[in-house]
Amino acid sequence: MNAKDRAIAGALGLAILGSLGFMAAYVLHASIQAEGLALAVALLGFAIAAIGWANWIIGDDRVIDQIEEYPSDSADRSAAVDELEQTEEEVTRRGGLVKLLYAALGIFGIAALFPFRSWGPAPDGALFKTKWKPGDRLVRENGEILTKDALNVDSIVTVFPEGAIGDASSQTVLIRLPDGVGQSVDGYIAYSKICTHAGCPVALYRAAAHQLMCPCHQSVFDVADAGKVLSGPADHALPQLPLEVDSAGYLRAKGDYPVPVGPGFWERG
């Protein structure tokens, strides 16, 4: 192996080291800079090897094979055979370099598969369900457990399932209505706080009209009529949380929302 071959081999070795370094940095949760540096070293090694291979091994000789008569004389045939044998010897001598190239490409290919782990876990049913389960008690953001006497008529409060305070998809507005208004449970009715238009929090309540309004784009929902849309860009009703009151007077969910909350499902419109 001459000096040029050794230079190409060194560049391929650099590419292998860079690939291994990238895999190590990824597994050890090193910094993004470390992963980027290792990847840059690997690519630099491949670049140097490619340039060297193109200029030192392949060469830029131009050969014009002119056949003046056929068949060639014995001297020309003998020269062609010698050249073929020399070429075969050249290829065989660089077999180790070719194997090293394959090894570098293989290790780099394995390293390229590592980032697939960054895709994270599958969402499973997270897009379709919240943390609400049958029997969950309703609690305020401060952890206070709500009973049927917790709110005055025409009051509103944000609630979560017990044990999941702060869960974004489970945030719910609980409203106490006057007697005889809407399909309430002991005067209480609950809707998802996530607007079905763009996901803003539906937090403004007009008690006199029993309407919830989204402050972002002014969609208005009818609390007394299953949360249907009265006006605004929202095109479907707020999901309603089924409620019940247990024997001790605690407000509980009878289950999760019957439909996905938020604006992520356009086909429902």
Side-chain angles (χ1 to χ4, degrees):
M1 181 178 291
N2 58 34
K4 295 178 180 178
D5 290 351
R6 288 196 295 272
I8 294 174
L12 293 175
L14 188 66
I16 292 174
L17 289 176
S19 300
L20 294 175
F22 175 80
M23 288 189 282
Y26 191 88
V27 171
L28 298 175
H29 302 289
S31 65
I32 296 295
Q33 291 78 7
E35 295 177 4
L37 178 61
L39 189 60
V41 169
L43 294 176
L44 178 64
F46 279 119
I48 294 174
I51 293 173
W53 205 296
N55 289 281
W56 299 333
I57 293 180
I58 296 178
D60 57 356
D61 297 335
R62 292 187 178 182
V63 177
I64 300 176
D65 189 9
Q66 295 181 340
I67 300 177
E68 298 178 351
E69 58 183 49
Y70 186 82
S72 304
D73 58 33
S74 59
D76 290 341
R77 291 199 297 273
S78 178
V81 171
D82 290 343
E83 185 177 357
L84 179 61
E85 291 176 349
Q86 183 179 358
T87 302
E88 183 179 3
E89 181 182 357
E90 185 82 4
V91 171
T92 304
R93 183 165 59 84
R94 290 197 167 107
L97 205 59
V98 173
K99 292 178 181 176
L100 185 60
L101 173 63
Y102 288 157
L105 290 173
I107 295 173
F108 184 79
I110 294 173
L113 297 176
F114 274 53
F116 282 98
R117 291 181 54 197
S118 298
W119 286 3
D124 296 327
L127 298 177
F128 303 91
K129 298 183 180 300
T130 70
K131 299 289 186 182
W132 289 104
K133 303 184 300 297
D136 279 345
R137 291 190 293 189
L138 278 60
V139 299
R140 295 175 186 261
E141 292 178 277
N142 62 6
E144 177 188 349
I145 302 172
L146 295 174
T147 67
K148 64 179 182 179
D149 299 321
L151 300 184
N152 295 322
V153 174
D154 290 333
S155 296
I156 180 173
V157 66
T158 299
V159 297
F160 295 91
E162 188 175 13
I165 295 176
D167 181 70
S169 63
S170 303
Q171 55 184 323
T172 299
V173 288
L174 176 69
I175 302 166
R176 186 167 185 181
L177 298 171
D179 292 341
V181 177
Q183 299 296 318
S184 64
V185 175
D186 284 0
Y188 288 94
I189 198 164
Y191 292 99
S192 170
K193 194 176 179 179
I194 306 172
C195 182
T196 55
H197 169 236
C200 293
V202 180
L204 301 179
Y205 181 53
R206 296 172 178 164
H210 313 303
Q211 295 174 352
L212 276 169
M213 187 176 75
C214 175
C216 293
H217 305 96
Q218 289 73 53
S219 292
V220 179
F221 303 90
D222 191 346
V223 172
D225 190 7
K228 77 176 185 181
V229 179
L230 295 175
S231 65
D235 61 359
H236 50 277
L238 284 175
Q240 183 174 349
L241 184 71
L243 298 176
E244 63 181 355
V245 178
D246 67 13
S247 58
Y250 289 110
L251 291 166
R252 294 180 181 270
K254 294 179 68 175
D256 199 358
Y257 287 100
V259 295
V261 300
F265 296 85
W266 304 99
E267 70 277 12
R268 290 184 309 181

